[in-house]
Amino acid sequence: NIKECYSVGLTAEKVSDRVCNSLENTYSITARNNGQFEKEYLFTLNGPSWATIDKSSLLLKPGEEQKLTLTVNPQHNVIPAKYNIIIKAIASDSEKVADSVEIFLTTVTKEECYQAYIGIDNKEIELYYDSTATIPVVIENRGTYTAAYDLSMTGTASDFVYLNPSVVTIDPSKSELVYLYLAPTGQVVKGEYSITVSTRLGDSPVLAAETVRIKVTDSPEKAEEEKQVEEK
């Protein structure tokens, strides 16, 4: 019964994953002394500069295992691509006693990770001033992670259009309904207006946007009054 006196094994929590630029992820790496004697092992990492491990060495008893933490934090300007990270364990007194684990990470832009979609069925509406209307707006998360979207409005109709709510948190592949409330007052000049609804993540660029065109007209009563005045 021949036993291996000196041996080390490395295993990773995940061997592949997708990570978002500008976000930090951590992964657990297990180091196990599979030999018959206590041994110190040194750890090295070969990979991009934004990947680090929290331990450089461990003293392990026979059969003992301990965790290392791999931290990855690709910055916003990291080129979206597939990267490989190799973590190696080597006995402090012999390079022959070693093991390694390889992890493949695909980086994607923050915008892709939190891709949003805005759905508005009624993109053209006509209403009288001093009247109101409500337009449902679907906000969908087509990204990979749960997102807290900031919603904003711009356009010539922003003085009489209101958005509620202005922040929605949505899980991947899920959607939420928000509403545009239109309430032009008597001071609103009749004519054509527009409002654009946009989604962002904090100070990120716009992830999605949709525009609604609004035509404000006189009420039938007001139009009749103006017609009578013109006839006189």
mmCIF file of all heavy atoms in Angstrom, residues 107-147:
data_model
loop_
_atom_site.group_PDB
_atom_site.id
_atom_site.type_symbol
_atom_site.label_atom_id
_atom_site.label_comp_id
_atom_site.label_asym_id
_atom_site.label_seq_id
_atom_site.Cartn_x
_atom_site.Cartn_y
_atom_site.Cartn_z
ATOM 1 N N THR A 107 -15.401 39.170 -19.762
ATOM 2 C CA THR A 107 -15.829 40.492 -19.307
ATOM 3 C C THR A 107 -16.771 41.104 -20.330
ATOM 4 O O THR A 107 -16.602 40.940 -21.538
ATOM 5 C CB THR A 107 -14.623 41.426 -19.109
ATOM 6 O OG1 THR A 107 -13.937 41.591 -20.356
ATOM 7 C CG2 THR A 107 -13.658 40.853 -18.090
ATOM 8 N N VAL A 108 -17.758 41.803 -19.805
ATOM 9 C CA VAL A 108 -18.718 42.503 -20.658
ATOM 10 C C VAL A 108 -18.916 43.905 -20.097
ATOM 11 O O VAL A 108 -18.666 44.155 -18.920
ATOM 12 C CB VAL A 108 -20.071 41.756 -20.741
ATOM 13 C CG1 VAL A 108 -19.930 40.441 -21.456
ATOM 14 C CG2 VAL A 108 -20.649 41.546 -19.352
ATOM 15 N N THR A 109 -19.336 44.814 -20.945
ATOM 16 C CA THR A 109 -19.524 46.190 -20.504
ATOM 17 C C THR A 109 -20.656 46.263 -19.479
ATOM 18 O O THR A 109 -21.556 45.419 -19.453
ATOM 19 C CB THR A 109 -19.866 47.115 -21.680
ATOM 20 O OG1 THR A 109 -21.118 46.708 -22.244
ATOM 21 C CG2 THR A 109 -18.780 47.060 -22.751
ATOM 22 N N LYS A 110 -20.598 47.297 -18.652
ATOM 23 C CA LYS A 110 -21.633 47.504 -17.644
ATOM 24 C C LYS A 110 -22.996 47.681 -18.302
ATOM 25 O O LYS A 110 -24.013 47.208 -17.797
ATOM 26 C CB LYS A 110 -21.276 48.727 -16.805
ATOM 27 C CG LYS A 110 -22.150 48.927 -15.589
ATOM 28 C CD LYS A 110 -21.649 50.098 -14.769
ATOM 29 C CE LYS A 110 -22.504 50.315 -13.529
ATOM 30 N NZ LYS A 110 -22.027 51.471 -12.731
ATOM 31 N N GLU A 111 -23.006 48.361 -19.460
ATOM 32 C CA GLU A 111 -24.267 48.585 -20.160
ATOM 33 C C GLU A 111 -24.891 47.271 -20.621
ATOM 34 O O GLU A 111 -26.110 47.090 -20.561
ATOM 35 C CB GLU A 111 -24.049 49.512 -21.359
ATOM 36 C CG GLU A 111 -23.729 50.953 -20.997
ATOM 37 C CD GLU A 111 -22.326 51.129 -20.447
ATOM 38 O OE1 GLU A 111 -21.448 50.312 -20.765
ATOM 39 O OE2 GLU A 111 -22.114 52.090 -19.685
ATOM 40 N N GLU A 112 -24.040 46.332 -21.070
ATOM 41 C CA GLU A 112 -24.547 45.031 -21.518
ATOM 42 C C GLU A 112 -25.042 44.205 -20.342
ATOM 43 O O GLU A 112 -26.040 43.485 -20.446
ATOM 44 C CB GLU A 112 -23.460 44.274 -22.275
ATOM 45 C CG GLU A 112 -23.935 42.965 -22.883
ATOM 46 C CD GLU A 112 -22.852 42.247 -23.659
ATOM 47 O OE1 GLU A 112 -21.803 42.863 -23.934
ATOM 48 O OE2 GLU A 112 -23.049 41.059 -23.983
ATOM 49 N N CYS A 113 -24.354 44.297 -19.207
ATOM 50 C CA CYS A 113 -24.762 43.534 -18.025
ATOM 51 C C CYS A 113 -26.130 43.960 -17.520
ATOM 52 O O CYS A 113 -26.887 43.159 -16.975
ATOM 53 C CB CYS A 113 -23.733 43.714 -16.913
ATOM 54 S SG CYS A 113 -22.318 42.618 -17.032
ATOM 55 N N TYR A 114 -26.439 45.257 -17.691
ATOM 56 C CA TYR A 114 -27.690 45.790 -17.171
ATOM 57 C C TYR A 114 -28.563 46.325 -18.307
ATOM 58 O O TYR A 114 -29.245 47.333 -18.155
ATOM 59 C CB TYR A 114 -27.407 46.896 -16.156
ATOM 60 C CG TYR A 114 -26.679 46.393 -14.937
ATOM 61 C CD1 TYR A 114 -25.307 46.546 -14.812
ATOM 62 C CD2 TYR A 114 -27.363 45.740 -13.920
ATOM 63 C CE1 TYR A 114 -24.633 46.069 -13.695
ATOM 64 C CE2 TYR A 114 -26.704 45.255 -12.802
ATOM 65 C CZ TYR A 114 -25.330 45.431 -12.701
ATOM 66 O OH TYR A 114 -24.681 44.956 -11.601
ATOM 67 N N GLN A 115 -28.539 45.638 -19.427
ATOM 68 C CA GLN A 115 -29.274 46.079 -20.610
ATOM 69 C C GLN A 115 -30.755 46.268 -20.289
ATOM 70 O O GLN A 115 -31.396 45.404 -19.697
ATOM 71 C CB GLN A 115 -29.108 45.054 -21.728
ATOM 72 C CG GLN A 115 -29.772 45.460 -23.038
ATOM 73 C CD GLN A 115 -29.579 44.410 -24.110
ATOM 74 O OE1 GLN A 115 -29.042 43.347 -23.869
ATOM 75 N NE2 GLN A 115 -30.031 44.706 -25.303
ATOM 76 N N ALA A 116 -31.281 47.415 -20.688
ATOM 77 C CA ALA A 116 -32.682 47.745 -20.396
ATOM 78 C C ALA A 116 -33.481 47.884 -21.683
ATOM 79 O O ALA A 116 -32.936 48.164 -22.752
ATOM 80 C CB ALA A 116 -32.755 49.038 -19.593
ATOM 81 N N TYR A 117 -34.784 47.697 -21.535
ATOM 82 C CA TYR A 117 -35.714 47.882 -22.653
ATOM 83 C C TYR A 117 -36.901 48.697 -22.149
ATOM 84 O O TYR A 117 -37.417 48.462 -21.042
ATOM 85 C CB TYR A 117 -36.193 46.536 -23.188
ATOM 86 C CG TYR A 117 -37.367 46.632 -24.127
ATOM 87 C CD1 TYR A 117 -37.203 46.999 -25.461
ATOM 88 C CD2 TYR A 117 -38.659 46.360 -23.666
ATOM 89 C CE1 TYR A 117 -38.296 47.099 -26.313
ATOM 90 C CE2 TYR A 117 -39.753 46.453 -24.515
ATOM 91 C CZ TYR A 117 -39.564 46.820 -25.836
ATOM 92 O OH TYR A 117 -40.650 46.930 -26.667
ATOM 93 N N ILE A 118 -37.345 49.658 -22.950
ATOM 94 C CA ILE A 118 -38.521 50.454 -22.624
ATOM 95 C C ILE A 118 -39.598 50.173 -23.668
ATOM 96 O O ILE A 118 -39.347 50.309 -24.867
ATOM 97 C CB ILE A 118 -38.195 51.954 -22.598
ATOM 98 C CG1 ILE A 118 -37.156 52.262 -21.514
ATOM 99 C CG2 ILE A 118 -39.459 52.777 -22.351
ATOM 100 C CD1 ILE A 118 -36.735 53.717 -21.478
ATOM 101 N N GLY A 119 -40.764 49.777 -23.198
ATOM 102 C CA GLY A 119 -41.869 49.492 -24.108
ATOM 103 C C GLY A 119 -43.048 50.427 -23.871
ATOM 104 O O GLY A 119 -43.559 50.502 -22.751
ATOM 105 N N ILE A 120 -43.432 51.157 -24.911
ATOM 106 C CA ILE A 120 -44.589 52.054 -24.834
ATOM 107 C C ILE A 120 -45.481 51.773 -26.037
ATOM 108 O O ILE A 120 -45.059 51.968 -27.186
ATOM 109 C CB ILE A 120 -44.154 53.539 -24.834
ATOM 110 C CG1 ILE A 120 -43.199 53.831 -23.663
ATOM 111 C CG2 ILE A 120 -45.379 54.447 -24.745
ATOM 112 C CD1 ILE A 120 -42.654 55.240 -23.666
ATOM 113 N N ASP A 121 -46.689 51.305 -25.788
ATOM 114 C CA ASP A 121 -47.605 50.995 -26.889
ATOM 115 C C ASP A 121 -48.147 52.261 -27.544
ATOM 116 O O ASP A 121 -48.236 52.361 -28.774
ATOM 117 C CB ASP A 121 -48.765 50.128 -26.380
ATOM 118 C CG ASP A 121 -48.319 48.708 -26.053
ATOM 119 O OD1 ASP A 121 -47.293 48.268 -26.619
ATOM 120 O OD2 ASP A 121 -48.984 48.066 -25.224
ATOM 121 N N ASN A 122 -48.543 53.217 -26.726
ATOM 122 C CA ASN A 122 -49.171 54.439 -27.236
ATOM 123 C C ASN A 122 -48.125 55.551 -27.308
ATOM 124 O O ASN A 122 -47.931 56.292 -26.345
ATOM 125 C CB ASN A 122 -50.336 54.843 -26.330
ATOM 126 C CG ASN A 122 -51.192 55.918 -26.956
ATOM 127 O OD1 ASN A 122 -50.991 56.296 -28.111
ATOM 128 N ND2 ASN A 122 -52.158 56.429 -26.199
ATOM 129 N N LYS A 123 -47.466 55.665 -28.467
ATOM 130 C CA LYS A 123 -46.400 56.656 -28.611
ATOM 131 C C LYS A 123 -46.892 57.965 -29.224
ATOM 132 O O LYS A 123 -46.104 58.899 -29.374
ATOM 133 C CB LYS A 123 -45.257 56.086 -29.471
ATOM 134 C CG LYS A 123 -44.545 54.910 -28.823
ATOM 135 C CD LYS A 123 -43.405 54.423 -29.692
ATOM 136 C CE LYS A 123 -42.732 53.221 -29.065
ATOM 137 N NZ LYS A 123 -41.626 52.707 -29.914
ATOM 138 N N GLU A 124 -48.163 58.024 -29.578
ATOM 139 C CA GLU A 124 -48.756 59.253 -30.075
ATOM 140 C C GLU A 124 -50.124 59.427 -29.423
ATOM 141 O O GLU A 124 -50.948 58.520 -29.456
ATOM 142 C CB GLU A 124 -48.892 59.227 -31.607
ATOM 143 C CG GLU A 124 -47.562 59.222 -32.329
ATOM 144 C CD GLU A 124 -47.716 59.411 -33.826
ATOM 145 O OE1 GLU A 124 -48.854 59.650 -34.269
ATOM 146 O OE2 GLU A 124 -46.705 59.319 -34.532
ATOM 147 N N ILE A 125 -50.319 60.584 -28.823
ATOM 148 C CA ILE A 125 -51.566 60.808 -28.102
ATOM 149 C C ILE A 125 -52.036 62.239 -28.330
ATOM 150 O O ILE A 125 -51.229 63.164 -28.458
ATOM 151 C CB ILE A 125 -51.392 60.520 -26.597
ATOM 152 C CG1 ILE A 125 -52.730 60.603 -25.883
ATOM 153 C CG2 ILE A 125 -50.372 61.455 -25.971
ATOM 154 C CD1 ILE A 125 -52.693 60.081 -24.457
ATOM 155 N N GLU A 126 -53.343 62.401 -28.397
ATOM 156 C CA GLU A 126 -53.949 63.714 -28.535
ATOM 157 C C GLU A 126 -54.924 63.915 -27.387
ATOM 158 O O GLU A 126 -55.720 63.026 -27.079
ATOM 159 C CB GLU A 126 -54.677 63.823 -29.875
ATOM 160 C CG GLU A 126 -55.330 65.165 -30.118
ATOM 161 C CD GLU A 126 -55.963 65.270 -31.501
ATOM 162 O OE1 GLU A 126 -55.435 64.621 -32.438
ATOM 163 O OE2 GLU A 126 -56.977 65.983 -31.640
ATOM 164 N N LEU A 127 -54.841 65.071 -26.722
ATOM 165 C CA LEU A 127 -55.747 65.344 -25.613
ATOM 166 C C LEU A 127 -56.009 66.837 -25.497
ATOM 167 O O LEU A 127 -55.235 67.655 -26.008
ATOM 168 C CB LEU A 127 -55.205 64.790 -24.298
ATOM 169 C CG LEU A 127 -54.053 65.514 -23.605
ATOM 170 C CD1 LEU A 127 -53.946 65.037 -22.162
ATOM 171 C CD2 LEU A 127 -52.733 65.291 -24.306
ATOM 172 N N TYR A 128 -57.122 67.159 -24.854
ATOM 173 C CA TYR A 128 -57.479 68.552 -24.645
ATOM 174 C C TYR A 128 -56.704 69.097 -23.452
ATOM 175 O O TYR A 128 -56.384 68.355 -22.525
ATOM 176 C CB TYR A 128 -58.987 68.692 -24.365
ATOM 177 C CG TYR A 128 -59.861 67.990 -25.368
ATOM 178 C CD1 TYR A 128 -60.864 67.117 -24.962
ATOM 179 C CD2 TYR A 128 -59.687 68.203 -26.726
ATOM 180 C CE1 TYR A 128 -61.691 66.487 -25.878
ATOM 181 C CE2 TYR A 128 -60.504 67.579 -27.654
ATOM 182 C CZ TYR A 128 -61.491 66.712 -27.229
ATOM 183 O OH TYR A 128 -62.295 66.085 -28.136
ATOM 184 N N TYR A 129 -56.430 70.401 -23.498
ATOM 185 C CA TYR A 129 -55.848 70.978 -22.292
ATOM 186 C C TYR A 129 -56.921 70.988 -21.212
ATOM 187 O O TYR A 129 -58.120 70.960 -21.480
ATOM 188 C CB TYR A 129 -55.266 72.367 -22.556
ATOM 189 C CG TYR A 129 -56.250 73.454 -22.916
ATOM 190 C CD1 TYR A 129 -57.032 74.071 -21.942
ATOM 191 C CD2 TYR A 129 -56.374 73.878 -24.230
ATOM 192 C CE1 TYR A 129 -57.927 75.067 -22.270
ATOM 193 C CE2 TYR A 129 -57.272 74.882 -24.570
ATOM 194 C CZ TYR A 129 -58.047 75.474 -23.588
ATOM 195 O OH TYR A 129 -58.931 76.461 -23.915
ATOM 196 N N ASP A 130 -56.480 70.996 -19.962
ATOM 197 C CA ASP A 130 -57.360 70.853 -18.795
ATOM 198 C C ASP A 130 -57.946 69.443 -18.696
ATOM 199 O O ASP A 130 -58.919 69.226 -17.961
ATOM 200 C CB ASP A 130 -58.497 71.887 -18.797
ATOM 201 C CG ASP A 130 -58.057 73.206 -18.174
ATOM 202 O OD1 ASP A 130 -57.064 73.172 -17.419
ATOM 203 O OD2 ASP A 130 -58.664 74.238 -18.460
ATOM 204 N N SER A 131 -57.373 68.494 -19.441
ATOM 205 C CA SER A 131 -57.765 67.089 -19.295
ATOM 206 C C SER A 131 -56.524 66.291 -18.883
ATOM 207 O O SER A 131 -55.425 66.826 -18.816
ATOM 208 C CB SER A 131 -58.338 66.542 -20.605
ATOM 209 O OG SER A 131 -57.347 66.532 -21.614
ATOM 210 N N THR A 132 -56.715 65.022 -18.611
ATOM 211 C CA THR A 132 -55.594 64.184 -18.173
ATOM 212 C C THR A 132 -55.584 62.871 -18.953
ATOM 213 O O THR A 132 -56.604 62.454 -19.508
ATOM 214 C CB THR A 132 -55.663 63.868 -16.675
ATOM 215 O OG1 THR A 132 -56.871 63.142 -16.403
ATOM 216 C CG2 THR A 132 -55.626 65.132 -15.841
ATOM 217 N N ALA A 133 -54.409 62.237 -18.953
ATOM 218 C CA ALA A 133 -54.270 60.918 -19.581
ATOM 219 C C ALA A 133 -53.135 60.173 -18.887
ATOM 220 O O ALA A 133 -52.238 60.786 -18.297
ATOM 221 C CB ALA A 133 -53.984 61.050 -21.068
ATOM 222 N N THR A 134 -53.197 58.858 -18.949
ATOM 223 C CA THR A 134 -52.170 58.010 -18.333
ATOM 224 C C THR A 134 -51.630 57.050 -19.384
ATOM 225 O O THR A 134 -52.400 56.401 -20.092
ATOM 226 C CB THR A 134 -52.749 57.207 -17.148
ATOM 227 O OG1 THR A 134 -53.265 58.122 -16.186
ATOM 228 C CG2 THR A 134 -51.655 56.360 -16.502
ATOM 229 N N ILE A 135 -50.302 56.960 -19.474
ATOM 230 C CA ILE A 135 -49.662 56.061 -20.435
ATOM 231 C C ILE A 135 -48.809 55.052 -19.672
ATOM 232 O O ILE A 135 -47.859 55.435 -18.976
ATOM 233 C CB ILE A 135 -48.778 56.840 -21.431
ATOM 234 C CG1 ILE A 135 -49.625 57.833 -22.226
ATOM 235 C CG2 ILE A 135 -48.052 55.875 -22.367
ATOM 236 C CD1 ILE A 135 -48.817 58.684 -23.189
ATOM 237 N N PRO A 136 -49.109 53.738 -19.761
ATOM 238 C CA PRO A 136 -48.256 52.725 -19.125
ATOM 239 C C PRO A 136 -46.924 52.600 -19.876
ATOM 240 O O PRO A 136 -46.887 52.648 -21.108
ATOM 241 C CB PRO A 136 -49.070 51.433 -19.239
ATOM 242 C CG PRO A 136 -50.446 51.862 -19.651
ATOM 243 C CD PRO A 136 -50.295 53.143 -20.398
ATOM 244 N N VAL A 137 -45.868 52.420 -19.111
ATOM 245 C CA VAL A 137 -44.526 52.249 -19.680
ATOM 246 C C VAL A 137 -43.911 50.989 -19.080
ATOM 247 O O VAL A 137 -43.834 50.850 -17.848
ATOM 248 C CB VAL A 137 -43.626 53.466 -19.380
ATOM 249 C CG1 VAL A 137 -42.233 53.257 -19.977
ATOM 250 C CG2 VAL A 137 -44.259 54.747 -19.926
ATOM 251 N N VAL A 138 -43.480 50.067 -19.923
ATOM 252 C CA VAL A 138 -42.853 48.822 -19.465
ATOM 253 C C VAL A 138 -41.337 49.013 -19.412
ATOM 254 O O VAL A 138 -40.724 49.402 -20.407
ATOM 255 C CB VAL A 138 -43.189 47.643 -20.397
ATOM 256 C CG1 VAL A 138 -42.467 46.374 -19.943
ATOM 257 C CG2 VAL A 138 -44.693 47.407 -20.437
ATOM 258 N N ILE A 139 -40.743 48.758 -18.251
ATOM 259 C CA ILE A 139 -39.291 48.767 -18.097
ATOM 260 C C ILE A 139 -38.849 47.323 -17.889
ATOM 261 O O ILE A 139 -39.269 46.678 -16.929
ATOM 262 C CB ILE A 139 -38.835 49.624 -16.904
ATOM 263 C CG1 ILE A 139 -39.481 51.018 -16.960
ATOM 264 C CG2 ILE A 139 -37.318 49.726 -16.879
ATOM 265 C CD1 ILE A 139 -39.081 51.837 -18.151
ATOM 266 N N GLU A 140 -38.024 46.817 -18.789
ATOM 267 C CA GLU A 140 -37.601 45.407 -18.733
ATOM 268 C C GLU A 140 -36.093 45.308 -18.565
ATOM 269 O O GLU A 140 -35.333 46.056 -19.190
ATOM 270 C CB GLU A 140 -38.019 44.681 -20.008
ATOM 271 C CG GLU A 140 -37.672 43.193 -20.010
ATOM 272 C CD GLU A 140 -38.089 42.495 -21.293
ATOM 273 O OE1 GLU A 140 -38.825 43.110 -22.085
ATOM 274 O OE2 GLU A 140 -37.656 41.348 -21.511
ATOM 275 N N ASN A 141 -35.668 44.387 -17.695
ATOM 276 C CA ASN A 141 -34.245 44.114 -17.497
ATOM 277 C C ASN A 141 -33.837 42.955 -18.389
ATOM 278 O O ASN A 141 -34.183 41.808 -18.126
ATOM 279 C CB ASN A 141 -33.974 43.777 -16.026
ATOM 280 C CG ASN A 141 -32.499 43.530 -15.748
ATOM 281 O OD1 ASN A 141 -31.680 43.476 -16.656
ATOM 282 N ND2 ASN A 141 -32.152 43.395 -14.478
ATOM 283 N N ARG A 142 -33.099 43.262 -19.447
ATOM 284 C CA ARG A 142 -32.612 42.223 -20.359
ATOM 285 C C ARG A 142 -31.140 41.911 -20.124
ATOM 286 O O ARG A 142 -30.474 41.320 -20.974
ATOM 287 C CB ARG A 142 -32.827 42.668 -21.806
ATOM 288 C CG ARG A 142 -34.312 42.769 -22.180
ATOM 289 C CD ARG A 142 -34.518 43.077 -23.652
ATOM 290 N NE ARG A 142 -35.932 43.032 -24.017
ATOM 291 C CZ ARG A 142 -36.397 43.255 -25.240
ATOM 292 N NH1 ARG A 142 -35.553 43.577 -26.222
ATOM 293 N NH2 ARG A 142 -37.694 43.180 -25.491
ATOM 294 N N GLY A 143 -30.645 42.301 -18.973
ATOM 295 C CA GLY A 143 -29.242 42.063 -18.638
ATOM 296 C C GLY A 143 -29.051 40.800 -17.824
ATOM 297 O O GLY A 143 -29.936 39.928 -17.764
ATOM 298 N N THR A 144 -27.906 40.735 -17.146
ATOM 299 C CA THR A 144 -27.498 39.543 -16.409
ATOM 300 C C THR A 144 -27.759 39.658 -14.920
ATOM 301 O O THR A 144 -27.943 38.652 -14.241
ATOM 302 C CB THR A 144 -25.998 39.271 -16.639
ATOM 303 O OG1 THR A 144 -25.726 39.295 -18.047
ATOM 304 C CG2 THR A 144 -25.569 37.932 -16.081
ATOM 305 N N TYR A 145 -27.790 40.878 -14.396
ATOM 306 C CA TYR A 145 -27.885 41.087 -12.967
ATOM 307 C C TYR A 145 -29.088 41.963 -12.611
ATOM 308 O O TYR A 145 -29.588 42.726 -13.445
ATOM 309 C CB TYR A 145 -26.603 41.761 -12.433
ATOM 310 C CG TYR A 145 -25.355 40.935 -12.638
ATOM 311 C CD1 TYR A 145 -24.570 41.102 -13.769
ATOM 312 C CD2 TYR A 145 -24.968 39.992 -11.695
ATOM 313 C CE1 TYR A 145 -23.420 40.344 -13.961
ATOM 314 C CE2 TYR A 145 -23.829 39.233 -11.872
ATOM 315 C CZ TYR A 145 -23.054 39.408 -13.009
ATOM 316 O OH TYR A 145 -21.935 38.660 -13.197
ATOM 317 N N THR A 146 -29.523 41.862 -11.360
ATOM 318 C CA THR A 146 -30.580 42.740 -10.862
ATOM 319 C C THR A 146 -30.108 44.191 -10.950
ATOM 320 O O THR A 146 -28.979 44.509 -10.585
ATOM 321 C CB THR A 146 -30.926 42.389 -9.403
ATOM 322 O OG1 THR A 146 -31.402 41.045 -9.356
ATOM 323 C CG2 THR A 146 -31.992 43.316 -8.859
ATOM 324 N N ALA A 147 -30.990 45.063 -11.423
ATOM 325 C CA ALA A 147 -30.595 46.453 -11.658
ATOM 326 C C ALA A 147 -31.586 47.415 -11.022
ATOM 327 O O ALA A 147 -32.798 47.170 -11.022
ATOM 328 C CB ALA A 147 -30.502 46.729 -13.158
#
